[in-house]
Structure formats: structure tokens, C-alpha cells
Amino acid sequence: MNITDVKVYPVEEDKLKAYVTITLDHCFVIRDLKVIHGASGLFIAMPAKRRKDGTYKDIAHPLNADTRNQMERTILIEYERHLQTAAGGATVFQAAEHD
């Protein structure tokens, strides 16, 4: 599984820095990931749904640490690129095709 597209949608809130949409292998989209500024720096929060009891449950999430780390690295690199370009609007990362 490869992240083949990353779109960053910055927001101006205290801890929430951006919403992100990723595409996996050019065929599966995951929307509403969040770039959050926490006590130890930036991290990625998975899309979640609020339950009737007020708690939140992830809608989609990696099943192991390696996948989570790969996703977080790719998304945060694109987020940092967006900050450097300061182009406004969404920035788009298109992964190179590998044979």
C-alpha cells in the first residue's frame, strides 16, 4: 500500500493545523485526517465519528505502527511543504509511479 496523493487544507485554529485527504494506490480515498499540534509536536489524527455516548471512534486507522509511521511521515512532509510555499488553498502531493 502506497500513499499516492496527499491534499492539505490548512485551518487557523489553536491546535488543529490542517485537514488532510490521502489516496492509497490511486484507488482508495481517506478524508478528514487532521494535523494536530500537541504537547510533543505535530501528529496525525485519524478520521473519527462521535458516538451516542459522546466518545469518538476512528472510522479508519492503520493496523500497525509501521503503517502509522509511514502515513504520518508522508503527511507531515507535505504539510511542512505547504507551510514553506504558503501558496494558500490546498497543496497536492502526487507520488511518482514505481514499476
Side-chain angles (χ1 to χ4, degrees):
M1 174 197 75
N2 293 306
I3 297 174
T4 52
D5 185 46
V6 177
K7 294 179 183 170
V8 177
Y9 303 93
V11 296
E12 298 199 18
E13 294 185 23
D14 187 32
K15 293 184 180 186
L16 176 63
K17 299 302 178 186
Y19 287 99
V20 177
T21 297
I22 63 172
T23 303
L24 305 175
D25 294 330
H26 299 288
C27 64
F28 192 85
V29 173
I30 303 174
R31 300 185 197 297
D32 293 332
L33 290 94
K34 297 173 191 152
V35 177
I36 306 283
H37 187 270
S40 8
L42 295 173
F43 68 94
I44 303 304
M46 295 297 130
K49 182 175 181 176
R50 188 176 179 151
R51 302 171 95 185
K52 290 181 182 180
D53 65 2
T55 61
Y56 288 87
K57 185 77 170 176
D58 284 350
I59 295 170
H61 60 89
L63 295 179
N64 59 59
D66 288 341
T67 303
R68 179 176 292 276
N69 290 336
Q70 175 192 2
M71 288 177 71
E72 193 162 90
R73 262 193 320 272
T74 302
I75 291 167
L76 290 179
I77 286 169
E78 188 57 31
Y79 172 73
E80 293 294 337
R81 183 178 300 152
H82 174 79
L83 291 181
Q84 290 175 0
T85 60
T91 60
V92 179
F93 158 82
Q94 295 275 331
E97 291 290 326
H98 298 289
D99 293 317

Coordinates of all heavy atoms in Angstrom, one line a residue:
M1 N 0.8 -1.2 0.0 CA 0.0 0.0 0.0 C 0.9 1.2 0.0 O 1.8 1.4 0.8 CB -0.9 0.0 1.2 CG -1.7 1.2 1.4 SD -2.4 1.5 3.0 CE -0.9 2.0 3.9
N2 N 0.6 2.1 -0.9 CA 1.4 3.4 -1.0 C 0.4 4.6 -1.0 O -0.7 4.5 -1.6 CB 2.2 3.4 -2.3 CG 3.3 2.4 -2.3 OD1 4.1 2.4 -1.4 ND2 3.3 1.6 -3.3
I3 N 0.8 5.6 -0.4 CA 0.1 6.9 -0.5 C 0.5 7.5 -1.8 O 1.6 7.9 -2.0 CB 0.4 7.8 0.7 CG1 0.0 7.1 2.0 CG2 -0.3 9.1 0.6 CD1 0.3 7.9 3.3
T4 N -0.5 7.7 -2.7 CA -0.2 8.2 -4.0 C -0.7 9.7 -4.2 O -0.3 10.3 -5.2 CB -0.8 7.3 -5.1 OG1 -2.2 7.2 -4.8 CG2 -0.2 6.0 -5.1
D5 N -1.4 10.2 -3.2 CA -1.8 11.6 -3.3 C -2.1 12.1 -1.9 O -2.7 11.4 -1.0 CB -3.1 11.6 -4.1 CG -3.6 13.1 -4.4 OD1 -2.8 13.9 -4.7 OD2 -4.8 13.3 -4.2
V6 N -1.7 13.3 -1.6 CA -1.9 14.0 -0.3 C -2.4 15.4 -0.6 O -1.7 16.1 -1.3 CB -0.7 14.1 0.6 CG1 -1.0 14.8 1.9 CG2 -0.1 12.7 0.9
K7 N -3.6 15.8 -0.1 CA -4.1 17.1 -0.2 C -4.2 17.7 1.2 O -4.8 17.1 2.1 CB -5.4 17.1 -0.9 CG -5.4 16.7 -2.3 CD -6.7 16.7 -3.0 CE -6.6 16.1 -4.4 NZ -7.9 15.8 -5.0
V8 N -3.6 18.9 1.3 CA -3.6 19.6 2.6 C -4.5 20.8 2.6 O -4.4 21.6 1.7 CB -2.1 20.0 3.0 CG1 -2.1 20.8 4.3 CG2 -1.2 18.8 3.0
Y9 N -5.4 20.9 3.6 CA -6.3 22.0 3.7 C -6.1 22.7 5.0 O -6.6 22.3 6.0 CB -7.8 21.5 3.6 CG -8.0 20.8 2.3 CD1 -7.9 19.4 2.3 CD2 -8.4 21.4 1.1 CE1 -8.2 18.7 1.1 CE2 -8.7 20.7 0.0 CZ -8.6 19.4 0.0 OH -8.8 18.7 -1.2
P10 N -5.3 23.8 5.0 CA -4.9 24.4 6.3 C -6.1 25.1 7.0 O -7.0 25.6 6.3 CB -3.8 25.4 5.9 CG -4.0 25.6 4.5 CD -4.6 24.4 3.9
V11 N -6.1 25.1 8.3 CA -7.1 25.9 9.0 C -6.4 26.7 10.1 O -5.2 26.5 10.4 CB -8.1 24.9 9.7 CG1 -8.9 24.2 8.7 CG2 -7.4 24.0 10.7
E12 N -7.0 27.7 10.5 CA -6.4 28.6 11.5 C -7.1 28.4 12.9 O -8.0 29.2 13.2 CB -6.5 30.1 11.1 CG -5.7 30.2 9.8 CD -5.3 31.7 9.5 OE1 -5.3 32.5 10.4 OE2 -5.0 32.0 8.4
E13 N -6.7 27.4 13.6 CA -7.2 27.1 14.9 C -6.1 26.9 15.8 O -4.9 26.7 15.3 CB -8.2 25.9 14.9 CG -9.4 26.1 14.1 CD -10.4 24.9 14.1 OE1 -10.3 24.2 15.1 OE2 -11.2 24.8 13.2
D14 N -6.3 26.8 17.1 CA -5.2 26.7 18.1 C -4.4 25.5 17.9 O -3.2 25.5 17.6 CB -5.8 26.8 19.5 CG -4.7 26.9 20.6 OD1 -3.7 27.5 20.3 OD2 -5.0 26.4 21.7
K15 N -5.0 24.3 18.0 CA -4.3 23.0 17.9 C -4.4 22.4 16.6 O -3.5 21.7 16.1 CB -4.7 22.1 19.1 CG -4.3 22.6 20.4 CD -4.7 21.6 21.5 CE -4.3 22.2 22.8 NZ -4.4 21.2 23.9
L16 N -5.6 22.5 16.0 CA -5.8 21.9 14.7 C -5.2 22.8 13.6 O -5.5 24.0 13.5 CB -7.3 21.8 14.4 CG -7.7 21.3 13.0 CD1 -7.3 19.9 12.8 CD2 -9.3 21.4 12.9
K17 N -4.2 22.2 12.9 CA -3.5 22.9 11.9 C -4.0 22.7 10.4 O -3.8 23.6 9.6 CB -2.0 22.6 12.0 CG -1.4 22.9 13.3 CD -1.6 24.4 13.6 CE -1.0 24.8 15.0 NZ -1.4 26.2 15.3
A18 N -4.5 21.5 10.1 CA -5.0 21.2 8.8 C -5.8 20.0 8.7 O -5.7 19.1 9.6 CB -3.8 21.1 7.8
Y19 N -6.7 19.9 7.8 CA -7.4 18.7 7.4 C -6.6 18.1 6.2 O -6.0 18.9 5.4 CB -8.8 18.9 7.0 CG -9.7 19.3 8.1 CD1 -10.1 20.6 8.5 CD2 -10.2 18.2 8.9 CE1 -10.9 20.8 9.5 CE2 -11.0 18.5 10.0 CZ -11.4 19.8 10.3 OH -12.2 20.1 11.4
V20 N -6.6 16.8 6.1 CA -5.8 16.2 5.0 C -6.7 15.1 4.4 O -7.4 14.4 5.1 CB -4.5 15.6 5.6 CG1 -3.7 14.8 4.5 CG2 -3.6 16.6 6.2
T21 N -6.6 15.0 3.1 CA -7.1 13.9 2.3 C -6.0 13.1 1.7 O -5.1 13.7 1.1 CB -8.1 14.4 1.2 OG1 -9.2 15.1 1.9 CG2 -8.7 13.3 0.4
I22 N -6.0 11.8 1.8 CA -5.0 10.9 1.2 C -5.6 9.9 0.2 O -6.8 9.6 0.4 CB -4.1 10.2 2.2 CG1 -4.9 9.2 3.0 CG2 -3.3 11.2 3.0 CD1 -4.0 8.3 3.9
T23 N -4.9 9.5 -0.8 CA -5.3 8.5 -1.7 C -4.3 7.4 -1.6 O -3.1 7.6 -1.6 CB -5.4 9.0 -3.1 OG1 -6.3 10.1 -3.2 CG2 -5.9 7.9 -4.1
L24 N -4.8 6.1 -1.5 CA -3.9 5.0 -1.4 C -4.0 4.2 -2.8 O -5.1 3.9 -3.3 CB -4.4 4.0 -0.3 CG -4.6 4.7 1.1 CD1 -5.2 3.6 2.1 CD2 -3.2 5.2 1.6
D25 N -2.8 4.0 -3.3 CA -2.7 3.2 -4.6 C -3.6 3.7 -5.7 O -4.1 2.9 -6.5 CB -2.9 1.7 -4.3 CG -1.9 1.1 -3.4 OD1 -0.7 1.6 -3.4 OD2 -2.2 0.2 -2.7
H26 N -3.8 5.0 -5.7 CA -4.6 5.6 -6.8 C -6.0 5.1 -6.8 O -6.7 5.3 -7.8 CB -4.0 5.4 -8.2 CG -2.6 6.0 -8.4 ND1 -2.4 7.4 -8.5 CD2 -1.4 5.4 -8.4 CE1 -1.1 7.6 -8.6 NE2 -0.5 6.4 -8.6
C27 N -6.5 4.5 -5.7 CA -7.8 3.9 -5.8 C -8.7 3.9 -4.6 O -9.8 3.5 -4.6 CB -7.8 2.4 -6.3 SG -6.9 1.3 -5.2
F28 N -8.1 4.4 -3.4 CA -8.9 4.5 -2.2 C -8.6 5.8 -1.5 O -7.5 6.1 -1.2 CB -8.6 3.3 -1.3 CG -9.5 3.1 -0.2 CD1 -10.7 2.4 -0.3 CD2 -9.2 3.6 1.1 CE1 -11.5 2.2 0.7 CE2 -10.1 3.5 2.1 CZ -11.3 2.7 2.0
V29 N -9.7 6.6 -1.2 CA -9.5 7.9 -0.6 C -9.9 7.8 0.9 O -10.9 7.2 1.2 CB -10.4 8.9 -1.3 CG1 -10.4 10.3 -0.6 CG2 -9.9 9.1 -2.7
I30 N -9.1 8.5 1.7 CA -9.5 8.7 3.1 C -9.4 10.2 3.4 O -8.4 10.9 3.2 CB -8.5 8.0 4.1 CG1 -8.4 6.5 3.8 CG2 -8.9 8.2 5.5 CD1 -7.4 5.7 4.6
R31 N -10.6 10.7 3.8 CA -10.7 12.2 4.1 C -10.7 12.5 5.6 O -11.0 11.6 6.4 CB -12.0 12.7 3.5 CG -12.2 12.5 2.0 CD -13.5 13.2 1.5 NE -13.9 12.7 0.2 CZ -13.3 12.9 -0.9 NH1 -12.2 13.4 -1.0 NH2 -13.9 12.5 -2.1
D32 N -10.5 13.7 5.9 CA -10.7 14.2 7.2 C -9.7 13.7 8.2 O -9.9 13.7 9.4 CB -12.1 14.0 7.8 CG -13.1 14.8 7.0 OD1 -12.8 15.9 6.5 OD2 -14.3 14.4 7.0
L33 N -8.5 13.4 7.8 CA -7.4 13.2 8.7 C -7.0 14.6 9.2 O -7.3 15.6 8.5 CB -6.1 12.6 8.0 CG -6.3 11.1 7.6 CD1 -6.8 11.0 6.2 CD2 -5.0 10.4 7.8
K34 N -6.4 14.7 10.4 CA -6.1 16.0 10.9 C -4.7 16.1 11.3 O -4.1 15.2 11.9 CB -7.0 16.3 12.2 CG -8.5 16.3 11.9 CD -9.2 16.4 13.2 CE -10.7 16.1 12.9 NZ -11.4 15.6 14.0
V35 N -4.1 17.3 11.0 CA -2.8 17.6 11.6 C -3.0 18.4 12.8 O -3.6 19.4 12.8 CB -1.9 18.4 10.6 CG1 -0.6 18.8 11.2 CG2 -1.7 17.7 9.3
I36 N -2.5 17.8 14.0 CA -2.8 18.4 15.3 C -1.4 18.8 15.9 O -0.4 18.1 15.8 CB -3.4 17.4 16.2 CG1 -4.7 16.9 15.6 CG2 -3.7 18.0 17.6 CD1 -5.9 17.8 15.7
H37 N -1.4 20.0 16.5 CA -0.2 20.4 17.3 C -0.4 20.0 18.7 O -1.2 20.7 19.4 CB 0.1 21.9 17.1 CG 1.4 22.3 17.7 ND1 1.5 22.7 19.0 CD2 2.7 22.3 17.2 CE1 2.8 22.9 19.3 NE2 3.5 22.7 18.2
G38 N 0.3 19.0 19.2 CA 0.1 18.5 20.6 C 1.3 18.9 21.4 O 2.2 19.7 21.0
A39 N 1.4 18.4 22.7 CA 2.4 18.8 23.6 C 3.8 18.4 23.1 O 4.8 19.1 23.3 CB 2.2 18.1 25.0
S40 N 3.9 17.3 22.3 CA 5.2 16.8 21.8 C 5.4 17.1 20.3 O 6.2 16.5 19.7 CB 5.4 15.4 22.1 OG 4.4 14.7 22.5
G41 N 4.6 18.0 19.8 CA 4.8 18.4 18.4 C 3.6 18.0 17.5 O 2.5 17.7 18.0
L42 N 3.8 17.9 16.2 CA 2.7 17.6 15.3 C 2.5 16.1 15.2 O 3.4 15.3 15.3 CB 3.1 18.1 13.9 CG 3.2 19.6 13.7 CD1 3.7 19.9 12.3 CD2 1.9 20.3 14.0
F43 N 1.2 15.8 15.1 CA 0.9 14.4 14.9 C -0.4 14.3 14.0 O -1.1 15.3 13.8 CB 0.7 13.6 16.2 CG -0.5 14.0 17.0 CD1 -1.7 13.4 16.9 CD2 -0.4 15.1 17.9 CE1 -2.8 13.8 17.6 CE2 -1.5 15.5 18.6 CZ -2.7 14.8 18.5
I44 N -0.7 13.1 13.5 CA -1.9 12.9 12.7 C -3.0 12.2 13.4 O -2.7 11.2 14.1 CB -1.5 12.1 11.4 CG1 -0.4 12.7 10.6 CG2 -2.7 11.8 10.5 CD1 -0.6 14.1 10.2
A45 N -4.2 12.8 13.4 CA -5.4 12.1 14.0 C -6.2 11.5 12.9 O -6.4 12.2 11.8 CB -6.2 13.1 14.8
M46 N -6.6 10.3 13.1 CA -7.4 9.6 12.1 C -8.9 10.2 12.1 O -9.3 10.7 13.1 CB -7.5 8.1 12.4 CG -6.1 7.5 12.2 SD -5.5 7.6 10.6 CE -3.9 8.2 10.9
P47 N -9.6 10.0 11.0 CA -11.0 10.5 10.9 C -11.8 9.7 11.9 O -11.6 8.5 12.1 CB -11.4 10.2 9.5 CG -10.4 9.2 8.9 CD -9.2 9.4 9.7
A48 N -12.7 10.4 12.7 CA -13.4 9.7 13.7 C -14.9 10.2 13.7 O -15.2 11.3 13.2 CB -12.8 10.0 15.1
K49 N -15.8 9.4 14.3 CA -17.2 9.7 14.4 C -17.6 9.7 15.8 O -17.2 8.9 16.6 CB -18.0 8.6 13.6 CG -19.5 8.9 13.6 CD -20.2 7.9 12.8 CE -21.7 8.2 12.8 NZ -22.4 7.3 11.9
R50 N -18.4 10.7 16.2 CA -18.9 10.8 17.6 C -20.0 9.8 17.8 O -20.9 9.8 17.0 CB -19.3 12.3 17.8 CG -19.7 12.5 19.3 CD -20.1 13.9 19.5 NE -20.4 14.1 20.9 CZ -20.3 15.2 21.6 NH1 -19.8 16.2 21.0 NH2 -20.6 15.2 22.9
R51 N -19.9 9.1 18.9 CA -20.9 8.1 19.2 C -22.0 8.7 20.1 O -21.8 9.8 20.6 CB -20.2 6.9 19.9 CG -19.1 6.3 19.0 CD -18.3 5.3 19.8 NE -18.9 4.0 19.5 CZ -18.5 2.9 20.1 NH1 -17.5 2.9 21.0 NH2 -19.0 1.7 19.8
K52 N -23.0 8.0 20.3 CA -24.1 8.5 21.1 C -23.7 8.8 22.5 O -24.3 9.7 23.2 CB -25.3 7.5 21.1 CG -26.0 7.3 19.8 CD -27.1 6.3 19.9 CE -27.8 6.2 18.5 NZ -28.9 5.3 18.5
D53 N -22.7 8.1 23.1 CA -22.3 8.3 24.4 C -21.3 9.5 24.6 O -20.7 9.7 25.6 CB -21.7 7.0 25.1 CG -20.4 6.6 24.4 OD1 -19.9 7.2 23.4 OD2 -19.9 5.5 24.8
G54 N -21.0 10.2 23.4 CA -20.1 11.3 23.5 C -18.6 11.0 23.2 O -17.8 11.9 23.0
T55 N -18.3 9.7 23.1 CA -16.9 9.3 22.8 C -16.7 9.3 21.3 O -17.7 9.3 20.5 CB -16.6 7.9 23.4 OG1 -17.5 6.9 22.8 CG2 -16.7 7.9 24.9
Y56 N -15.5 9.2 20.9 CA -15.2 9.2 19.4 C -14.6 7.8 19.1 O -13.8 7.3 19.8 CB -14.2 10.3 19.1 CG -14.8 11.7 19.1 CD1 -14.9 12.4 20.3 CD2 -15.4 12.2 17.9 CE1 -15.5 13.6 20.3 CE2 -16.0 13.4 18.0 CZ -16.1 14.1 19.1 OH -16.7 15.4 19.2
K57 N -14.9 7.3 17.9 CA -14.4 6.1 17.4 C -13.8 6.3 16.0 O -14.4 6.9 15.1 CB -15.5 5.1 17.3 CG -15.1 3.7 16.9 CD -14.5 3.0 18.1 CE -14.3 1.5 17.7 NZ -13.6 0.8 18.8
D58 N -12.5 5.9 15.8 CA -11.9 6.0 14.5 C -12.7 5.3 13.4 O -13.2 4.2 13.6 CB -10.5 5.4 14.5 CG -9.5 6.3 15.2 OD1 -9.8 7.4 15.5 OD2 -8.4 5.8 15.4
I59 N -12.9 6.0 12.3 CA -13.6 5.4 11.1 C -12.6 4.6 10.3 O -13.0 3.5 9.8 CB -14.2 6.5 10.2 CG1 -15.2 7.3 11.0 CG2 -14.7 6.0 8.9 CD1 -15.7 8.6 10.3
A60 N -11.4 5.0 10.2 CA -10.3 4.3 9.5 C -9.0 4.6 10.3 O -8.8 5.7 10.8 CB -10.2 4.8 8.1
H61 N -8.2 3.5 10.4 CA -6.9 3.7 11.0 C -6.0 2.6 10.7 O -6.4 1.5 10.3 CB -7.1 3.7 12.6 CG -7.7 2.5 13.1 ND1 -7.0 1.4 13.5 CD2 -9.0 2.2 13.3 CE1 -7.8 0.5 14.0 NE2 -9.0 0.9 13.8
P62 N -4.7 2.9 10.7 CA -3.7 1.8 10.4 C -3.7 0.7 11.5 O -4.0 1.0 12.7 CB -2.3 2.6 10.5 CG -2.6 4.0 10.6 CD -4.0 4.1 11.1
L63 N -3.4 -0.5 11.1 CA -3.4 -1.6 12.0 C -2.1 -1.9 12.7 O -2.0 -2.8 13.6 CB -3.9 -2.9 11.3 CG -5.4 -2.8 10.8 CD1 -5.7 -4.1 10.0 CD2 -6.3 -2.6 11.9
N64 N -1.0 -1.2 12.2 CA 0.2 -1.4 12.9 C 1.1 -0.2 12.9 O 0.8 0.8 12.2 CB 1.0 -2.6 12.2 CG 1.3 -2.3 10.7 OD1 1.9 -1.3 10.4 ND2 0.8 -3.2 9.9
A65 N 2.1 -0.1 13.7 CA 2.9 1.1 13.9 C 3.7 1.5 12.7 O 3.8 2.7 12.4 CB 3.9 0.8 15.1
D66 N 4.2 0.5 11.9 CA 4.9 0.8 10.7 C 4.1 1.6 9.7 O 4.5 2.6 9.1 CB 5.5 -0.5 10.0 CG 6.6 -1.1 10.8 OD1 7.2 -0.4 11.6 OD2 6.9 -2.3 10.6
T67 N 2.8 1.1 9.5 CA 1.9 1.8 8.6 C 1.6 3.2 9.1 O 1.6 4.2 8.4 CB 0.6 1.0 8.4 OG1 1.0 -0.3 7.9 CG2 -0.3 1.7 7.4
R68 N 1.3 3.3 10.4 CA 1.0 4.6 11.0 C 2.2 5.6 10.8 O 2.0 6.7 10.4 CB 0.7 4.5 12.5 CG 0.4 5.9 13.1 CD 0.0 5.8 14.6 NE -1.3 5.1 14.7 CZ -2.5 5.8 14.6 NH1 -2.5 7.1 14.3 NH2 -3.6 5.1 14.8
N69 N 3.4 5.1 11.1 CA 4.6 6.0 10.9 C 4.8 6.4 9.5 O 5.1 7.6 9.2 CB 5.8 5.2 11.4 CG 5.8 5.1 12.9 OD1 5.2 5.8 13.6 ND2 6.5 4.0 13.4
Q70 N 4.6 5.5 8.5 CA 4.7 5.8 7.1 C 3.7 6.9 6.7 O 4.0 7.9 6.1 CB 4.5 4.6 6.2 CG 4.5 4.9 4.8 CD 4.1 3.7 3.9 OE1 3.7 2.7 4.4 NE2 4.1 3.9 2.6
M71 N 2.5 6.7 7.2 CA 1.4 7.7 6.8 C 1.8 9.1 7.5 O 1.7 10.1 6.8 CB 0.1 7.2 7.4 CG -0.5 6.1 6.6 SD -2.1 5.5 7.3 CE -3.1 6.9 6.9
E72 N 2.1 9.0 8.7 CA 2.4 10.3 9.4 C 3.6 11.0 8.8 O 3.5 12.2 8.6 CB 2.7 10.0 10.9 CG 2.7 11.2 11.8 CD 2.6 10.9 13.2 OE1 3.6 10.7 13.9 OE2 1.4 10.9 13.7
R73 N 4.7 10.3 8.4 CA 5.8 10.9 7.8 C 5.4 11.6 6.5 O 5.8 12.7 6.2 CB 6.9 9.9 7.5 CG 8.0 9.8 8.5 CD 9.2 9.0 8.0 NE 8.9 7.8 7.3 CZ 8.7 6.6 7.9 NH1 8.7 6.5 9.2 NH2 8.4 5.6 7.1
T74 N 4.7 10.8 5.6 CA 4.3 11.4 4.3 C 3.4 12.6 4.5 O 3.6 13.6 3.8 CB 3.6 10.3 3.5 OG1 4.5 9.1 3.4 CG2 3.2 10.8 2.1
I75 N 2.4 12.5 5.3 CA 1.5 13.6 5.5 C 2.2 14.9 6.1 O 2.0 16.0 5.6 CB 0.3 13.2 6.4 CG1 -0.5 12.2 5.7 CG2 -0.5 14.4 6.9 CD1 -1.5 11.4 6.5
L76 N 3.1 14.7 7.1 CA 3.7 15.8 7.7 C 4.7 16.4 6.8 O 4.9 17.7 6.8 CB 4.4 15.4 9.1 CG 3.4 15.1 10.2 CD1 4.1 14.7 11.4 CD2 2.5 16.3 10.5
I77 N 5.4 15.7 5.9 CA 6.3 16.2 4.9 C 5.5 17.1 4.0 O 5.9 18.3 3.7 CB 7.0 15.1 4.1 CG1 8.1 14.5 5.0 CG2 7.6 15.7 2.8 CD1 8.7 13.2 4.5
E78 N 4.3 16.7 3.6 CA 3.5 17.5 2.7 C 3.0 18.7 3.4 O 2.9 19.8 2.8 CB 2.4 16.7 2.1 CG 1.6 17.4 1.0 CD 2.5 17.9 -0.1 OE1 3.5 17.2 -0.5 OE2 2.2 19.0 -0.7
Y79 N 2.6 18.6 4.7 CA 2.1 19.7 5.5 C 3.3 20.8 5.6 O 3.0 22.0 5.4 CB 1.7 19.3 6.9 CG 1.4 20.4 7.8 CD1 0.2 21.2 7.6 CD2 2.2 20.7 8.8 CE1 -0.1 22.2 8.4 CE2 1.9 21.8 9.7 CZ 0.8 22.5 9.5 OH 0.5 23.6 10.3
E80 N 4.5 20.3 5.9 CA 5.6 21.3 6.0 C 5.9 21.9 4.7 O 6.2 23.1 4.6 CB 6.9 20.5 6.5 CG 6.8 20.0 7.9 CD 6.7 21.1 9.0 OE1 7.1 22.3 8.7 OE2 6.1 20.8 10.1
R81 N 5.8 21.2 3.6 CA 6.0 21.8 2.2 C 4.9 22.9 2.0 O 5.2 23.9 1.5 CB 5.8 20.7 1.2 CG 6.1 21.2 -0.2 CD 6.0 20.1 -1.3 NE 7.0 19.1 -1.0 CZ 6.9 17.8 -1.3 NH1 5.8 17.4 -1.9 NH2 7.8 17.0 -1.0
H82 N 3.7 22.6 2.4 CA 2.7 23.6 2.3 C 3.0 24.9 3.1 O 2.9 26.0 2.6 CB 1.3 23.1 2.8 CG 0.3 24.2 2.8 ND1 -0.4 24.6 1.6 CD2 -0.2 25.0 3.7 CE1 -1.2 25.6 1.9 NE2 -1.1 25.8 3.2
L83 N 3.5 24.7 4.3 CA 3.9 25.9 5.1 C 5.0 26.7 4.4 O 5.0 27.9 4.4 CB 4.4 25.5 6.5 CG 3.3 24.9 7.4 CD1 3.9 24.6 8.8 CD2 2.1 25.9 7.6
Q84 N 6.0 26.0 3.8 CA 7.1 26.7 3.1 C 6.6 27.4 1.9 O 7.1 28.5 1.6 CB 8.2 25.7 2.8 CG 8.9 25.1 4.0 CD 9.9 24.0 3.6 OE1 10.1 23.7 2.5 NE2 10.5 23.5 4.7
T85 N 5.7 26.9 1.1 CA 5.3 27.5 -0.1 C 4.3 28.6 0.2 O 4.2 29.6 -0.5 CB 4.6 26.5 -1.1 OG1 3.5 25.9 -0.5 CG2 5.6 25.5 -1.5
A86 N 3.5 28.4 1.3 CA 2.5 29.4 1.7 C 1.6 29.9 0.5 O 1.3 31.1 0.4 CB 3.1 30.6 2.4
A87 N 1.3 29.0 -0.3 CA 0.5 29.3 -1.6 C -0.9 29.6 -1.3 O -1.6 30.1 -2.1 CB 0.7 28.2 -2.6
G88 N -1.5 29.1 -0.1 CA -2.9 29.2 0.1 C -3.6 28.1 -0.6 O -3.2 27.5 -1.5
G89 N -4.8 27.8 -0.1 CA -5.6 26.8 -0.7 C -5.0 25.4 -0.4 O -4.2 25.3 0.5
A90 N -5.3 24.4 -1.1 CA -4.9 23.1 -0.9 C -3.5 22.9 -1.7 O -3.4 23.4 -2.8 CB -5.9 22.1 -1.4
T91 N -2.6 22.1 -1.1 CA -1.4 21.7 -1.8 C -1.6 20.2 -2.1 O -2.3 19.5 -1.4 CB -0.2 21.9 -1.0 OG1 -0.2 21.2 0.2 CG2 0.1 23.4 -0.7
V92 N -1.0 19.8 -3.2 CA -1.2 18.4 -3.6 C 0.1 17.7 -3.9 O 1.0 18.3 -4.5 CB -2.1 18.4 -4.9 CG1 -2.3 16.9 -5.4 CG2 -3.4 19.0 -4.7
F93 N 0.2 16.6 -3.3 CA 1.4 15.7 -3.5 C 1.0 14.6 -4.4 O 0.0 13.9 -4.1 CB 1.9 15.2 -2.1 CG 2.7 13.9 -2.2 CD1 4.0 14.0 -2.4 CD2 2.1 12.7 -2.0 CE1 4.8 12.8 -2.5 CE2 2.9 11.5 -2.0 CZ 4.2 11.6 -2.3
Q94 N 1.7 14.3 -5.4 CA 1.5 13.2 -6.3 C 2.7 12.3 -6.3 O 3.8 12.8 -6.6 CB 1.2 13.7 -7.8 CG 0.0 14.5 -7.9 CD -1.2 13.7 -8.2 OE1 -1.2 12.6 -8.7 NE2 -2.4 14.2 -7.7
A95 N 2.5 11.1 -5.8 CA 3.7 10.2 -5.7 C 4.1 9.8 -7.1 O 3.3 9.6 -8.0 CB 3.3 9.0 -4.9
A96 N 5.4 9.5 -7.2 CA 5.9 9.0 -8.5 C 5.5 7.6 -8.7 O 5.4 6.8 -7.7 CB 7.4 9.2 -8.5
E97 N 5.3 7.2 -9.9 CA 4.9 5.8 -10.2 C 6.2 5.0 -10.1 O 7.3 5.3 -10.5 CB 4.4 5.7 -11.7 CG 3.1 6.4 -11.9 CD 2.0 5.6 -11.2 OE1 2.0 4.4 -11.1 OE2 1.0 6.3 -10.7
H98 N 6.0 3.8 -9.5 CA 7.1 2.8 -9.3 C 6.7 1.6 -10.1 O 5.6 1.1 -10.1 CB 7.3 2.5 -7.9 CG 7.7 3.6 -7.0 ND1 8.9 4.2 -7.2 CD2 7.0 4.4 -6.1 CE1 9.0 5.2 -6.3 NE2 7.9 5.3 -5.7
D99 N 7.7 1.1 -10.8 CA 7.5 -0.2 -11.6 C 7.8 -1.4 -10.7 O 8.5 -1.4 -9.9 CB 8.3 -0.2 -12.9 CG 7.9 0.9 -13.8 OD1 6.7 1.0 -14.0 OD2 8.8 1.5 -14.4

